[in-house]
Amino acid sequence: LENLQPEIKELAKRLRYEVSVRGKQLGWSEKVARFHFTKNMRRIVTELYVRDNCHPFKATLLLWVQIPMWVCVSLALRNCSVGALGSAVQEQFSSGGALWFTDLTAPDSTWILPVSLGLVNLLVVEIFASQKNPQVSRFQKLVTNFFRVVSVVMIPIAATVPSSMALYWLSSSLVGLSHNLLLRSPTFRRLCCIPRTKSDSDTPY
């Protein structure tokens, strides 16, 4: 998508000129000319997305699987922790922890899991925010700030739920952080044949 932007700008410039010439020939008003420009530009951009197989909607597909799975696993862990699936399962959870969180049915009184969760989530958000993209829209800034707030709000929430849920959330966030760091590696990107973009850095870390 990023690599397509220069081509899209060039095509938009050419189309704007063609529509202007055509509009003068046919006596189009500014509103009609703008309609034809928008309609044709949308078609051109869609053709480019199909050509390079990079439609923006594909970037959201994973979320439609990831979010329901995250919710379902969280609810399942809560049910196991509160005894909704039977006392035998709850007993196993109460003695199946490790380190300082030996009881997975109780909240983490040390706040180590909740604070770690918040810090990891903030780190993931900042990794996205630090990408060298000079054209950051107002909407993107709002989304970034929204996820910063969510990362902080998750800390007290994680401190009130069973440790099993907080541990799962932290593990999930650590996997996400690992993915983000790995995908910023120039060596890994070359191995996966991921095209280089202007915002890529040779020293991302």
Side-chain angles (χ1 to χ4, degrees), residues 34-177:
R34 196 183 308 117
F35 167 77
H36 283 285
F37 171 79
T38 304
K39 180 185 173 184
N40 284 286
M41 196 65 218
R42 194 180 294 123
R43 175 182 55 79
I44 289 169
V45 170
T46 301
E47 287 173 358
L48 290 175
Y49 288 159
V50 171
R51 186 195 72 187
D52 288 8
N53 193 23
C54 64
H55 198 282
F57 180 72
K58 288 188 176 183
T60 67
L61 284 177
L62 187 62
L63 291 175
W64 297 109
V65 177
Q66 188 178 9
I67 291 175
M69 183 181 289
W70 185 87
V71 171
C72 289
V73 173
S74 297
L75 292 175
L77 288 170
R78 185 202 63 185
N79 291 340
C80 290
S81 300
V82 300
L85 301 179
S87 58
V89 176
Q90 188 180 21
E91 269 181 41
Q92 290 176 352
F93 267 64
S94 63
S95 59
L99 303 173
W100 69 92
F101 50 93
T102 53
D103 185 357
L104 292 173
T105 64
D108 181 12
S109 58
T110 65
W111 280 61
I112 295 175
L113 289 176
V115 171
S116 300
L117 171 67
L119 290 174
V120 170
N121 284 339
L122 275 174
L123 191 54
V124 172
V125 174
E126 294 310 317
I127 285 173
F128 275 111
S130 68
Q131 290 178 341
K132 295 176 182 176
N133 188 0
Q135 296 177 329
V136 178
S137 66
R138 187 167 176 268
F139 175 73
Q140 287 172 315
K141 289 179 181 177
L142 286 172
V143 169
T144 301
N145 288 329
F146 170 75
F147 280 111
R148 283 177 178 142
V149 171
V150 169
S151 299
V152 174
V153 169
M154 282 297 290
I155 295 175
I157 293 174
T160 59
V161 299
S163 295
S164 58
M165 291 176 67
L167 179 61
Y168 166 63
W169 293 348
L170 177 59
S171 302
S172 178
S173 296
L174 283 169
V175 171
L177 175 63

Side-chain angles (χ1 to χ4, degrees), residues 1-13 48 135 198:
L1 284 171
E2 188 177 340
N3 287 339
L4 274 178
Q5 294 314 305
E7 187 175 354
I8 290 172
K9 284 181 181 177
E10 186 60 37
L11 289 169
K13 186 178 177 182
L48 290 175
Q135 296 177 329
K198 285 184 178 180

